[in-house]
Amino acid sequence: MADHRRDLRVAIAGLGSIGTKIAAELDRGIDGLLLSAIAAREPDKRRAFLSSLRQPPVILPIEQLAEVADIVVECAPSHLLRTIVEPVVRRGKAAVVVSVGALLDNSDLIDLAKAHGGRIIVPTGALIGLDAVNAAAVGTIHSVRMVTRKPIDGLKGAPFIVQNGIDIDNLREPLRLFAGTAREAAKGFPANLNVAVALSLAGIGPDRTMVEIWADPTVTRNVHRIEVEADSARFSMGIENVPSENPKTGMITALSVIALLRKQRATLSVGT
Ligand SMILES: NC(=O)C1=CN([C@@H]2O[C@H](COP(=O)(O)OP(=O)(O)OC[C@H]3O[C@@H](n4cnc5c(N)ncnc54)[C@H](O)[C@@H]3O)[C@@H](O)[C@H]2O)C=CC1
Ligand SMILES: O=C([O-])CC(=O)C(=O)O
């Protein structure tokens, strides 16, 4: 009989604001899971952190993580999504993807996963309520709208701002930077609007999910407000994320991945 209780081996691709927290939590211990490997851009610079772990994992290049893991958590810059996820799904394993915006330009990875029995799992991340959006999508969703407000530091360097020569450094009041679809938002703000893409994939897709983005010098948190109109329910959701050491990334993102990992072997699992 197969041993269903063997620990699931988890590897982490990218030791930044998200990956470091997940690695530390796995090392502290999550039932049924084992931190097997890590990929870091400059492992030598992460020696102090790595040697603080009770059971130091092996260090591997991102494309080799799937060789020693059942689940690979992608938490690296979005341009590396394909390099990380392709070998995972080719081996029929599971990739947890946080740079979800990059999935739109690499959607063939979903077909590849299907062909090889692999899985791509998108956590709720910095957002809220994707369980309700999933449920409403079983029926008919008429519209999904999201308004994001971020402090200036959370938006600096976004391609949309650079390409349009918009000066956000000297703003005194909120400025609406963008209104359009989640697909366009992900192109213009790849490190800021993963949440819009996650919302769209849970609901009515990146071309029907409408997004506004505001640069707001009056807020200190990444604020997302969402309105969903469906045949089963109408709901509004809001979340105000405390930025992590990376001002573009809410602290809750790493916690969301940890909660998702805990569910992989939980006896009682709550929420869809
Ligand atoms: N789905 C969601 O709700 C959210 C997703 N994100 C996305 O998650 C991703 C990670 O975010 P953070 O951890 O805040 O970014 P970060 O910039 O703090 O960390 C990324 C890490 O990847 C490492 N890295 C770069 N090249 C590498 C390579 N070749 N091999 C191994 N490691 C490499 C970097 O050195 C860095 O430590 C980003 O794409 C971000 O946009 C962020 C917030 C919310
Ligand atoms: O989705 C993202 O990339 C990050 C974000 O909005 C947040 O942390 O609130």
Side-chain angles (χ1 to χ4, degrees):
M1 207 170 78
D3 175 10
H4 294 298
R5 301 315 302 174
R6 179 177 70 76
D7 280 351
L8 287 173
R9 298 161 306 159
V10 182
I12 299 195
L15 260 196
S17 80
I18 298 174
T20 306
K21 288 201 185 63
I22 301 168
E25 187 66 19
L26 279 164
D27 187 61
R28 263 193 293 277
I30 298 182
D31 251 3
L33 268 58
L34 176 84
L35 176 61
S36 62
I38 278 179
R41 188 176 45 189
E42 295 172 293
D44 280 346
K45 293 201 174 151
R46 305 314 311 270
R47 284 280 163 239
F49 172 74
L50 291 167
S51 57
S52 75
L53 298 175
R54 292 184 306 183
Q55 287 187 284
V58 294
I59 313 294
L60 289 173
I62 42 174
E63 58 275 20
Q64 288 176 23
L65 294 173
E67 294 169 21
V68 297
D70 305 300
I71 303 175
V72 174
V73 181
E74 175 282 322
C75 38
S78 58
H79 67 93
L80 295 174
L81 177 95
R82 188 169 199 95
T83 320
I84 296 166
V85 172
E86 187 174 335
V88 178
V89 296
R90 262 191 200 288
R91 283 173 175 262
K93 295 182 171 177
V96 174
V97 165
V98 292
S99 303
V100 51
L103 266 185
L104 296 184
D105 281 340
N106 291 283
S107 56
D108 60 301
L109 289 173
I110 301 163
D111 301 325
L112 192 68
K114 190 167 185 163
H116 291 84
R119 288 195 307 150
I120 297 176
I121 306 170
V122 175
T124 302
L127 212 55
I128 185 174
L130 296 191
D131 51 350
V133 181
N134 275 156
V138 175
T140 302
I141 298 180
H142 303 301
S143 66
V144 180
R145 298 182 179 281
M146 172 167 156
V147 179
T148 288
R149 293 176 185 276
K150 287 198 170 189
I152 309 307
D153 281 351
L155 289 162
K156 273 186 186 159
F160 183 92
I161 297 174
V162 175
Q163 281 154 19
N164 289 292
I166 304 169
D167 174 16
I168 56 170
D169 289 329
N170 301 304
L171 279 185
R172 291 170 153 253
E173 49 190 60
L175 174 70
R176 192 179 80 171
L177 293 170
F178 171 89
T181 65
R183 187 186 297 281
E184 293 159 350
K187 278 206 191 322
F189 301 84
N192 316 85
L193 259 299
N194 291 288
V195 282
V197 176
L199 174 67
S200 76
L201 295 177
I204 50 176
D207 300 311
R208 288 180 61 210
T209 302
M210 303 312 291
V211 180
E212 278 185 28
I213 303 169
W214 291 71
D216 191 339
T218 70
V219 298
T220 53
R221 298 184 177 207
N222 298 333
V223 180
H224 308 293
R225 304 239 176 262
I226 297 154
E227 306 282 338
V228 177
E229 188 69 55
D231 62 348
S232 58
R234 168 185 303 142
F235 48 95
S236 310
M237 310 184 285
I239 189 165
E240 303 184 3
N241 287 327
V242 178
S244 62
E245 55 272 28
N246 176 353
K248 297 183 172 65
T249 293
M251 266 173 66
I252 202 167
T253 316
L255 307 188
S256 169
V257 176
I258 292 166
L260 182 143
L261 290 174
R262 284 184 181 168
K263 275 191 175 179
Q264 302 306 306
R265 276 292 168 85
T267 307
L268 172 65
S269 174
V270 180
T272 37

